[in-house]
Amino acid sequence: MKTLLSIIALSFASAGLAAAADKCPISGKPADSSITSKGKDGKTVAFCCEKCKAKFDAKNK
């Protein structure tokens, strides 16, 4: 169930919803617009820190 919720949360984050764009998809903390990466769908995702960006990038290769 936890995995399913994580997948759903990442799906919403990568869908570009306004509420998700303000939060880091990894930690849920406020996102820093200067720390970004592209998701598999080509959309830009913002993160709270470089550690979260690295985790996202590793999962989305």
Side-chain angles (χ1 to χ4, degrees):
M1 182 69 170
K2 190 183 239 185
T3 303
L4 178 61
L5 292 175
S6 296
I7 292 169
I8 292 170
L10 285 174
S11 295
F12 282 120
S14 65
L17 298 176
D22 296 336
K23 292 185 179 183
C24 173
I26 304 298
S27 70
K29 295 178 182 177
D32 180 342
S33 62
S34 68
I35 305 171
T36 62
S37 186
K38 295 275 186 190
K40 287 182 180 179
D41 59 2
K43 294 189 183 219
T44 301
V45 181
F47 303 92
C48 65
C49 65
E50 290 292 335
K51 282 179 142 181
C52 287
K53 179 185 180 297
K55 286 180 185 179
F56 180 86
D57 289 342
K59 290 181 181 179
N60 288 295
K61 282 188 175 184

XYZ file of all heavy atoms in Angstrom:
432
model
N 0.830 -1.194 0.000
C 0.000 0.000 0.000
C 0.870 1.250 0.000
O 0.564 2.212 -0.686
C -0.923 -0.036 1.230
C -1.862 1.110 1.316
S -3.085 0.975 0.006
C -4.204 2.207 0.468
N 1.968 1.232 0.788
C 2.867 2.377 0.858
C 3.474 2.663 -0.513
O 3.588 3.808 -0.929
C 3.959 2.095 1.883
C 4.812 3.279 2.230
C 5.895 2.860 3.201
C 5.816 3.640 4.467
N 6.906 3.350 5.376
N 3.854 1.598 -1.235
C 4.430 1.763 -2.563
C 3.410 2.359 -3.521
O 3.740 3.240 -4.309
C 4.935 0.407 -3.101
O 5.874 -0.118 -2.175
C 5.575 0.561 -4.450
N 2.192 1.890 -3.454
C 1.136 2.414 -4.310
C 0.929 3.905 -4.065
O 0.825 4.692 -5.007
C -0.174 1.657 -4.084
C -1.378 2.150 -4.888
C -1.099 2.027 -6.378
C -2.611 1.361 -4.515
N 0.906 4.306 -2.805
C 0.738 5.719 -2.480
C 1.924 6.540 -2.976
O 1.745 7.667 -3.458
C 0.552 5.909 -0.974
C -0.757 5.366 -0.401
C -0.778 5.501 1.111
C -1.951 6.059 -1.015
N 3.121 5.994 -2.900
C 4.303 6.696 -3.413
C 4.210 6.890 -4.914
O 4.534 7.952 -5.436
C 5.576 5.913 -3.075
O 5.758 5.845 -1.699
N 3.764 5.857 -5.617
C 3.616 5.948 -7.066
C 2.569 6.989 -7.425
O 2.770 7.801 -8.329
C 3.257 4.574 -7.666
C 4.443 3.625 -7.528
C 2.833 4.704 -9.121
C 4.111 2.186 -7.842
N 1.465 6.990 -6.712
C 0.412 7.970 -6.968
C 0.932 9.381 -6.689
O 0.697 10.292 -7.482
C -0.846 7.661 -6.126
C -1.490 6.361 -6.622
C -1.837 8.822 -6.177
C -2.577 5.834 -5.735
N 1.653 9.554 -5.592
C 2.191 10.874 -5.254
C 3.150 11.365 -6.324
O 3.100 12.526 -6.737
C 2.885 10.823 -3.899
N 4.018 10.498 -6.813
C 4.956 10.889 -7.868
C 4.226 11.173 -9.168
O 4.618 12.058 -9.930
C 6.023 9.816 -8.083
C 7.097 9.744 -7.005
C 8.011 8.553 -7.257
C 7.900 11.026 -6.954
N 3.152 10.444 -9.423
C 2.368 10.688 -10.632
C 1.755 12.083 -10.607
O 1.793 12.799 -11.596
C 1.254 9.649 -10.778
O 1.797 8.381 -10.960
N 1.204 12.455 -9.463
C 0.627 13.790 -9.348
C 1.713 14.851 -9.449
O 1.525 15.876 -10.084
C -0.137 13.965 -8.029
C -1.495 13.336 -8.048
C -1.820 12.333 -7.153
C -2.456 13.754 -8.950
C -3.072 11.750 -7.164
C -3.717 13.177 -8.976
C -4.022 12.172 -8.077
N 2.858 14.605 -8.839
C 3.945 15.574 -8.883
C 4.427 15.782 -10.309
O 4.667 16.905 -10.739
C 5.094 15.112 -7.992
N 4.561 14.711 -11.060
C 5.054 14.844 -12.425
C 3.967 15.317 -13.387
O 4.255 15.711 -14.497
C 5.647 13.525 -12.916
O 4.656 12.531 -12.994
N 2.714 15.305 -12.953
C 1.622 15.783 -13.804
C 1.591 17.301 -13.877
O 0.870 17.865 -14.684
C 0.288 15.258 -13.284
N 2.393 17.954 -13.041
C 2.475 19.410 -13.092
C 1.332 20.110 -12.387
O 1.015 21.238 -12.715
N 0.726 19.476 -11.412
C -0.350 20.119 -10.666
C 0.222 21.254 -9.835
O 1.320 21.163 -9.305
C -1.045 19.099 -9.748
C -1.719 17.941 -10.473
C -2.289 16.964 -9.462
C -2.821 18.450 -11.375
N -0.504 22.336 -9.704
C -0.009 23.524 -9.012
C 0.402 23.223 -7.576
O 1.432 23.676 -7.112
C -1.067 24.622 -9.042
N -0.391 22.462 -6.861
C -0.066 22.162 -5.467
C 1.218 21.349 -5.365
O 2.033 21.563 -4.482
C -1.216 21.423 -4.806
N 1.408 20.415 -6.270
C 2.599 19.577 -6.230
C 3.837 20.349 -6.654
O 4.938 20.034 -6.226
C 2.400 18.354 -7.117
N 3.689 21.350 -7.504
C 4.829 22.116 -7.995
C 5.490 22.922 -6.875
O 6.652 23.261 -6.979
C 4.390 23.035 -9.121
N 4.767 23.207 -5.836
C 5.298 23.982 -4.722
C 6.013 23.116 -3.701
O 6.643 23.642 -2.795
C 4.173 24.738 -4.015
C 3.516 25.767 -4.922
O 4.171 26.216 -5.882
O 2.353 26.102 -4.663
N 5.902 21.800 -3.854
C 6.501 20.871 -2.891
C 7.440 19.904 -3.579
O 7.221 19.510 -4.720
C 5.409 20.076 -2.177
C 4.549 20.907 -1.272
C 3.588 20.049 -0.507
C 2.735 20.899 0.415
N 1.846 20.079 1.221
N 8.457 19.524 -2.863
C 9.414 18.524 -3.341
C 8.687 17.174 -3.430
O 8.046 16.758 -2.461
C 10.575 18.446 -2.360
S 11.745 17.128 -2.702
N 8.776 16.475 -4.564
C 8.084 15.194 -4.693
C 8.716 14.080 -3.856
O 8.091 13.048 -3.642
C 8.192 14.877 -6.185
C 9.409 15.608 -6.630
C 9.447 16.856 -5.797
N 9.908 14.290 -3.360
C 10.588 13.281 -2.546
C 10.280 13.483 -1.062
O 9.844 12.573 -0.376
C 12.113 13.307 -2.778
C 12.455 13.118 -4.257
C 12.815 12.271 -1.901
C 12.032 11.805 -4.865
N 10.494 14.706 -0.558
C 10.345 14.959 0.877
C 9.025 15.604 1.269
O 8.625 15.528 2.425
C 11.481 15.867 1.361
O 11.302 17.174 0.840
N 8.387 16.298 0.320
C 7.160 17.024 0.634
C 7.415 18.417 1.185
O 6.484 19.157 1.466
N 8.686 18.782 1.333
C 9.048 20.115 1.824
C 8.870 21.130 0.701
O 8.773 20.764 -0.466
C 10.504 20.116 2.295
C 10.758 19.233 3.494
C 12.230 19.262 3.859
C 12.519 18.342 5.032
N 13.955 18.317 5.353
N 8.873 22.425 1.033
C 8.775 23.448 -0.022
C 9.920 23.299 -1.033
O 11.067 23.081 -0.661
C 8.884 24.765 0.750
C 8.416 24.429 2.127
C 8.871 23.013 2.370
N 9.592 23.416 -2.304
C 10.580 23.246 -3.372
C 11.327 24.545 -3.629
O 10.781 25.634 -3.471
C 9.889 22.779 -4.641
N 12.576 24.403 -4.042
C 13.428 25.523 -4.443
C 13.439 25.531 -5.965
O 13.919 24.586 -6.592
C 14.828 25.299 -3.878
C 15.813 26.403 -4.232
O 15.550 27.173 -5.182
O 16.860 26.473 -3.566
N 12.950 26.601 -6.562
C 12.818 26.648 -8.018
C 14.158 26.642 -8.752
O 14.194 26.461 -9.967
C 11.995 27.858 -8.435
O 12.650 29.044 -8.023
N 15.249 26.796 -8.029
C 16.565 26.758 -8.673
C 17.133 25.336 -8.740
O 18.155 25.114 -9.381
C 17.549 27.679 -7.943
O 17.841 27.177 -6.656
N 16.483 24.379 -8.081
C 16.931 22.986 -8.095
C 15.872 22.174 -8.845
O 14.831 21.838 -8.294
C 17.110 22.434 -6.664
C 18.060 23.325 -5.861
C 17.618 20.997 -6.707
C 18.132 22.971 -4.385
N 16.136 21.886 -10.107
C 15.147 21.205 -10.942
C 15.746 20.066 -11.737
O 16.961 19.953 -11.879
C 14.496 22.186 -11.935
O 15.503 22.698 -12.806
C 13.794 23.328 -11.223
N 14.872 19.231 -12.252
C 15.246 18.135 -13.131
C 14.063 17.857 -14.043
O 12.944 18.281 -13.762
C 15.579 16.890 -12.302
O 16.068 15.865 -13.127
N 14.312 17.161 -15.121
C 13.242 16.767 -16.041
C 12.792 15.356 -15.705
O 13.611 14.459 -15.525
C 13.727 16.789 -17.492
C 14.105 18.161 -17.989
C 12.904 18.886 -18.497
C 13.361 20.200 -19.131
N 12.290 21.064 -19.432
N 11.476 15.156 -15.632
C 10.920 13.832 -15.422
C 10.912 13.058 -16.728
O 11.236 13.598 -17.792
N 10.536 11.793 -16.680
C 10.462 10.957 -17.882
C 9.492 11.540 -18.910
O 9.663 11.347 -20.101
C 10.032 9.540 -17.518
C 11.105 8.754 -16.819
C 10.629 7.347 -16.528
C 11.704 6.550 -15.830
N 11.282 5.196 -15.501
N 8.487 12.250 -18.416
C 7.491 12.845 -19.303
C 7.950 14.182 -19.884
O 7.244 14.819 -20.640
C 6.172 13.027 -18.574
C 6.292 13.916 -17.343
O 7.391 14.435 -17.056
O 5.273 14.093 -16.651
N 9.156 14.632 -19.513
C 9.707 15.873 -20.031
C 9.344 17.113 -19.239
O 9.810 18.204 -19.541
N 8.537 16.959 -18.202
C 8.140 18.104 -17.386
C 9.222 18.409 -16.350
O 9.881 17.511 -15.833
C 6.819 17.838 -16.689
C 5.677 17.726 -17.672
C 4.352 17.677 -16.987
C 3.300 17.485 -18.047
N 2.122 18.217 -17.817
N 9.372 19.687 -16.045
C 10.342 20.117 -15.052
C 9.770 19.930 -13.659
O 8.629 20.291 -13.392
C 10.707 21.605 -15.267
O 11.235 21.747 -16.588
C 11.734 22.075 -14.258
N 10.597 19.366 -12.772
C 10.207 19.108 -11.391
C 11.196 19.835 -10.488
O 12.404 19.777 -10.717
C 10.248 17.588 -11.088
C 9.826 17.298 -9.662
C 9.373 16.831 -12.064
N 10.698 20.537 -9.461
C 11.547 21.259 -8.517
C 11.683 20.466 -7.218
O 10.766 19.735 -6.823
C 10.962 22.629 -8.229
N 12.831 20.635 -6.552
C 13.145 19.893 -5.327
C 13.568 20.841 -4.217
O 13.960 21.974 -4.480
C 14.267 18.888 -5.602
C 13.935 17.944 -6.710
C 14.287 18.234 -8.013
C 13.224 16.792 -6.464
C 13.954 17.392 -9.056
C 12.881 15.936 -7.494
C 13.244 16.239 -8.791
N 13.550 20.342 -2.992
C 13.950 21.161 -1.849
C 15.469 21.214 -1.698
O 16.000 22.178 -1.159
C 13.310 20.644 -0.562
S 13.861 18.990 -0.067
N 16.164 20.168 -2.176
C 17.621 20.109 -2.018
C 18.231 19.199 -3.083
O 17.525 18.472 -3.777
C 17.975 19.595 -0.628
S 17.462 17.883 -0.326
N 19.543 19.243 -3.188
C 20.252 18.427 -4.171
C 20.135 16.924 -3.880
O 20.148 16.115 -4.798
C 21.731 18.834 -4.234
C 21.961 20.198 -4.855
C 21.639 20.248 -6.341
O 21.681 19.206 -7.025
O 21.334 21.352 -6.821
N 20.014 16.545 -2.595
C 19.866 15.124 -2.243
C 18.589 14.548 -2.838
O 18.584 13.452 -3.396
C 19.846 14.934 -0.720
C 21.179 14.992 -0.063
C 20.967 14.820 1.440
C 22.048 14.007 2.040
N 21.867 13.800 3.489
N 17.497 15.296 -2.730
C 16.221 14.827 -3.282
C 16.279 14.772 -4.806
O 15.760 13.845 -5.418
C 15.077 15.722 -2.812
S 14.640 15.484 -1.074
N 16.931 15.761 -5.418
C 17.086 15.761 -6.868
C 17.855 14.526 -7.321
O 17.476 13.856 -8.283
C 17.809 17.024 -7.336
C 18.030 17.091 -8.835
C 18.853 18.318 -9.199
C 19.094 18.439 -10.672
N 19.843 17.392 -11.292
N 18.918 14.183 -6.592
C 19.720 13.008 -6.933
C 18.900 11.717 -6.808
O 19.000 10.827 -7.652
C 20.956 12.938 -6.040
N 18.063 11.618 -5.781
C 17.201 10.439 -5.617
C 16.222 10.329 -6.780
O 16.007 9.259 -7.329
C 16.423 10.517 -4.296
C 17.256 10.257 -3.078
C 16.404 10.353 -1.820
C 17.230 10.205 -0.582
N 16.427 10.311 0.645
N 15.616 11.452 -7.157
C 14.669 11.480 -8.267
C 15.363 11.079 -9.562
O 14.862 10.262 -10.328
C 14.072 12.883 -8.384
C 13.064 13.024 -9.509
C 11.738 12.707 -9.306
C 13.463 13.517 -10.735
C 10.808 12.851 -10.327
C 12.536 13.664 -11.776
C 11.214 13.338 -11.557
N 16.529 11.672 -9.810
C 17.266 11.373 -11.048
C 17.657 9.891 -11.133
O 17.586 9.297 -12.188
C 18.516 12.253 -11.156
C 18.179 13.702 -11.451
O 17.052 13.979 -11.906
O 19.049 14.566 -11.222
N 18.035 9.308 -9.996
C 18.428 7.892 -9.985
C 17.239 6.983 -10.321
O 17.398 5.984 -11.006
C 18.988 7.526 -8.614
N 16.052 7.354 -9.863
C 14.852 6.556 -10.119
C 14.300 6.762 -11.536
O 13.576 5.930 -12.038
C 13.750 6.897 -9.112
C 14.045 6.425 -7.724
C 12.893 6.790 -6.802
C 13.172 6.337 -5.391
N 12.085 6.686 -4.478
N 14.623 7.890 -12.140
C 14.021 8.239 -13.434
C 14.992 8.206 -14.595
O 14.825 8.926 -15.565
C 13.385 9.637 -13.326
C 12.142 9.616 -12.490
O 11.162 8.987 -12.858
N 12.197 10.247 -11.353
N 15.986 7.355 -14.516
C 16.938 7.226 -15.625
C 16.333 6.443 -16.749
O 15.523 5.641 -16.637
C 18.205 6.525 -15.171
C 19.114 7.457 -14.405
C 20.423 6.781 -14.137
C 21.377 7.758 -13.486
N 22.668 7.204 -13.278
